[in-house]
Amino acid sequence: MKETIIALLDEALATLKQQGVLPTEASPTIKVDPTKDKAHGDYATNLALMLAKPAGKKPRDLAEALVAALPESAAVSKTEIAGPGFINFFAATDAVAQVVARVLESGDAYGRSLAGQGQKVQVEFVSANPTGPLHVGHGRGAAIGDSLCRLLEAVGHDVTREFYYNDAGAQISNLARSVQARVKGLGPEDAGWPEDGYRGDYIQDVATSYLAGETVHADDRHVTAKGDPEDLDAIREFAVAYLRREQDLDLKAFGVEFDVYFLESSLYEEGKVEATVERLIDKGHTYEEDGALWLRTTDFGDDKDRVMRKQDGGYTYFLPDVAYHLDKWQRGFARVINEQGADHHSTVTRVRAGLQALDAGIPEGWPDYVLHQMVLVTRSGVEVKLSKRAGSYVTLRDLIDEVGRDATRYFLAARRADSQLTFDIDLARSQSNDNPVYYVQYAHARVCSVLRRLEGEGLTFDHDLALASLASLTEDQEKALMNRLARYPEVVAHAAASREPQQVAQYLQDLAADFHTCYNAVKVMVEDDALRNARLALGLATRQVIRNGLDLLGVGAPEEM
């Protein structure tokens, strides 16, 4: 319907240009939005206010001219001019109701498009260090990142999901020493425990498995423990594989899988870090000072230059990040999106500056970033801080075990990534309208219950009769619900373009609200066959769109609650 109104206004603009009412160079973006008050119609535009100045007319006068120039359309029952010059459109019932037929015909494909034209997009998300169980922040990254991938696929992109393992550096050394200490029988309170050692119970689990000589099957390797307490390299290799496997199992329980697992260590083993350093030196953007090698990132918008190679010969975290992203570019990903925690904010500018200094044809502002804020977990109004297994943080597995996968995914993806999130365990567990995921899933289950009742009364759904009778859906609640269904494709497209999965979650809550209002106000199981089947079709269309939307968030659509 929105597209129909935009097309009508476009024709009206062409007519007014021919008449000399508007200058021929006027080419505004026509904006049509749903009205908040249905007494003012279904859709409205401020086009007359936008064009009043170039037209040299009062907005209301131009609005009258636009309305007069609108072509006849069976889709619009009437128009009204409101306020200083808004044009309100009242959709004809027949036109609104056709969305039900479109949804039922399209099924799972409703809301999907080919707008992305198969463009390759790589989305990197989670990318947790393999030093412990995934925490709730990683869970938020997983929920947002996976939902974003689903959205991009829904609009026609070829998406690659990638997990970057920081399996090199000081944190991995701390992990190895922590496990070695446990292997030797030491605890965190004992003398000789590593100063920066990891204290969670999981370290003991790794040590026990290592001593038992177990074999760990990680994504790309199989590691058998040597059981030697003195072989720190063997302990390191086993511990990393053990925790990679654990993280992978947690992600699978969360409904998240990856196409590519990329190891930071491979950048060193394959000489890509050193090659990146040599290229930066060759391009003339480096200098030596105080025994360290610096990159002149201020040439590319950074607030200060950055050290690449320290005095001791080791590299800073910044450099392998640049090498890794150069590798992404060389793999053919013209578009890359990194979903990371807000603590990575400081790395955005320096990584982009490093990539520009390579002079490799990488566009400015590449890659894109989605940064999420922290998650505060509460129970009974009190913050939950510790997990016995992890030792110092709430794990993703804790939440899944407490409230289930669906509620965890929905809650973590349903807020803007750049806003802090309070995860209320009590709310997520509740079966009430205050719980947004329950409220949405209940709308889906409610339609299923109507179908079971239909069958119980010995009746069947007549698809052909339903489609022939859609014009009978004239109640205000039915019309509001159909208008909401019609907006779904636009919501998907906008959420994908803006990289904001929470727009889908908000839409689903609005759709569920419209459905529950309609269900409570309009009786479905009426004696009139035509009207009953039309209303059943509206319910089926609503169920389909809820299922489609929940799938984009990786959330199930139960038939019973």
Side-chain angles (χ1 to χ4, degrees):
M1 188 64 206
K2 178 177 178 178
E3 291 73 16
T4 299
I5 294 173
I6 290 175
L8 293 173
L9 286 168
D10 196 43
E11 290 189 46
L13 287 177
T15 298
L16 294 185
K17 288 178 183 179
Q18 291 176 353
Q19 295 174 350
V21 176
L22 286 173
T24 55
E25 64 272 14
S27 56
T29 299
I30 302 174
K31 187 177 180 182
V32 174
D33 295 307
T35 59
K36 295 181 180 179
D37 184 349
K38 294 308 172 186
H40 298 155
D42 299 296
Y43 294 90
T45 182
N46 64 347
L47 187 60
L49 283 76
M50 293 172 54
L51 291 174
K53 186 173 182 179
K57 289 182 173 292
K58 295 179 179 179
R60 281 191 70 93
D61 291 343
L62 184 55
E64 290 175 358
L66 280 166
V67 169
L70 286 171
E72 289 290 328
S73 173
V76 178
S77 61
K78 69 173 181 176
T79 57
E80 287 181 352
I81 299 172
F86 291 98
I87 303 174
N88 296 334
F89 294 84
F90 293 77
T93 300
D94 286 357
V96 173
Q98 288 309 305
V99 69
V100 175
R102 291 198 300 275
V103 173
L104 295 181
E105 179 182 358
S106 300
D108 294 345
Y110 182 69
R112 294 179 172 267
S113 73
L114 299 175
Q117 299 180 328
Q119 179 195 35
K120 289 177 62 177
V121 181
Q122 187 227 49
V123 182
E124 180 205 334
F125 59 108
V126 183
S127 294
N129 295 336
T131 55
L134 297 173
H135 57 61
V136 65
H138 296 136
R140 191 176 192 190
I144 294 172
D146 188 57
S147 296
L148 178 57
C149 291
R150 291 166 182 258
L151 273 168
L152 292 168
E153 288 171 337
V155 297
H157 288 285
D158 178 5
V159 179
T160 297
R161 294 162 168 82
E162 184 149 319
F163 190 123
Y164 178 65
Y165 275 111
N166 295 102
D167 64 334
Q171 291 181 333
I172 299 300
S173 295
N174 289 339
L175 170 67
R177 288 196 298 270
S178 301
V179 175
Q180 185 180 48
R182 283 290 193 183
V183 166
K184 293 182 175 182
L186 298 177
E189 308 307 321
D190 294 330
W193 184 262
E195 182 178 353
D196 296 321
Y198 294 96
R199 296 169 172 264
D201 287 355
Y202 69 94
I203 296 296
Q204 181 62 63
D205 296 340
V206 179
T208 300
S209 295
Y210 178 78
L211 285 172
E214 293 183 6
T215 298
V216 172
H217 303 283
D219 175 66
D220 62 348
R221 65 187 64 187
H222 308 291
V223 179
T224 299
K226 291 185 177 180
D228 181 357
E230 302 302 328
D231 193 335
L232 188 60
D233 289 338
I235 292 173
R236 179 186 297 107
E237 182 184 18
F238 181 80
V240 168
Y242 185 102
L243 291 168
R244 283 182 58 190
R245 179 187 64 181
E246 178 164 315
Q247 290 181 356
D248 189 48
L249 291 174
D250 283 349
L251 288 168
K252 286 181 178 178
F254 203 43
V256 176
E257 296 189 18
F258 290 86
D259 303 304
V260 176
Y261 291 93
F262 194 102
L263 304 183
E264 178 188 359
S265 58
S266 71
L267 295 170
Y268 295 94
E269 293 167 0
E270 297 173 16
K272 293 180 179 180
V273 171
E274 193 60 40
T276 299
V277 173
E278 294 303 320
R279 180 165 184 149
L280 291 170
I281 293 173
D282 291 343
K283 296 299 179 181
H285 296 296
T286 64
Y287 60 92
E288 298 265 0
E289 187 175 288
D290 299 328
L293 180 65
W294 295 69
L295 180 64
R296 200 173 286 107
T297 54
T298 50
D299 290 349
F300 303 96
D302 202 358
D303 59 343
K304 62 181 181 179
D305 294 341
R306 305 289 175 175
V307 173
M308 295 193 307
R309 189 167 56 213
K310 297 176 287 188
Q311 291 177 339
D312 63 5
Y315 295 115
T316 60
Y317 283 113
F318 150 67
L319 188 61
D321 281 348
V322 175
Y324 173 47
H325 283 83
L326 175 61
D327 182 86
K328 291 184 182 186
W329 177 259
Q330 291 172 338
R331 279 186 275 155
F333 292 113
R335 187 179 180 196
V336 166
I337 302 171
N338 293 341
E339 202 295 331
Q340 297 171 319
D343 56 329
H344 287 80
H345 184 272
S346 62
T347 69
V348 174
T349 300
R350 69 187 71 168
V351 168
R352 287 174 172 169
L355 292 170
Q356 290 304 300
L358 290 168
D359 192 23
I362 299 174
E364 290 186 29
W366 187 95
D368 292 327
Y369 285 86
V370 175
L371 302 179
H372 66 262
Q373 290 288 341
M374 65 175 289
V375 182
L376 176 70
V377 180
T378 65
R379 182 190 286 111
S380 302
V382 179
E383 181 181 358
V384 179
K385 293 183 178 180
L386 301 181
S387 163
K388 186 174 186 297
R389 175 157 171 72
S392 59
Y393 56 83
V394 178
T395 69
L396 174 59
R397 177 68 71 170
D398 290 335
L399 287 186
I400 296 174
D401 291 345
E402 283 266 6
V403 305
R405 185 180 85 178
D406 284 351
T408 303
R409 284 196 63 136
Y410 192 96
F411 270 62
L412 292 176
R415 292 285 302 276
R416 283 180 59 96
D418 60 3
S419 65
Q420 291 193 358
L421 171 65
T422 297
F423 193 108
D424 185 338
I425 289 177
D426 299 318
L427 178 61
R429 288 171 59 93
S430 70
Q431 296 187 358
S432 72
N433 290 344
D434 293 329
N435 180 350
V437 65
Y438 176 84
Y439 188 63
V440 173
Q441 289 181 322
Y442 181 50
H444 183 274
R446 215 169 187 182
V447 178
C448 296
S449 71
V450 172
L451 294 177
R452 289 193 295 270
R453 180 182 168 190
L454 183 76
E455 183 179 356
E457 295 185 12
L459 300 172
T460 57
F461 172 63
D462 189 329
H463 182 272
D464 293 338
L465 178 59
L467 297 191
S469 308
L470 293 177
S472 62
L473 301 175
T474 57
E475 298 293 338
D476 289 345
Q477 297 87 349
E478 293 170 330
K479 195 172 181 181
L481 181 54
M482 291 186 289
N483 277 325
R484 185 77 64 185
L485 293 173
R487 293 172 204 158
Y488 178 69
E490 179 189 355
V491 170
V492 173
H494 192 271
S498 58
R499 307 188 296 278
E500 295 184 344
Q502 86 280 351
Q503 292 184 18
V504 175
Q506 183 58 59
Y507 169 84
L508 289 173
Q509 290 169 232
D510 294 338
L511 176 61
D514 286 339
F515 171 76
H516 290 307
T517 297
C518 184
Y519 183 89
N520 293 331
V522 178
K523 186 177 180 181
V524 176
M525 298 298 289
V526 295
E527 292 186 5
D528 185 320
D529 286 349
L531 182 58
R532 182 181 66 252
N533 278 282
R535 287 176 175 170
L536 284 168
L538 176 56
L540 288 169
T542 303
R543 183 180 70 165
Q544 181 69 62
V545 174
I546 290 174
R547 185 162 63 237
N548 291 0
L550 287 174
D551 183 66
L552 293 179
L553 300 176
V555 176
E559 296 188 0
E560 293 184 80
M561 298 289 286

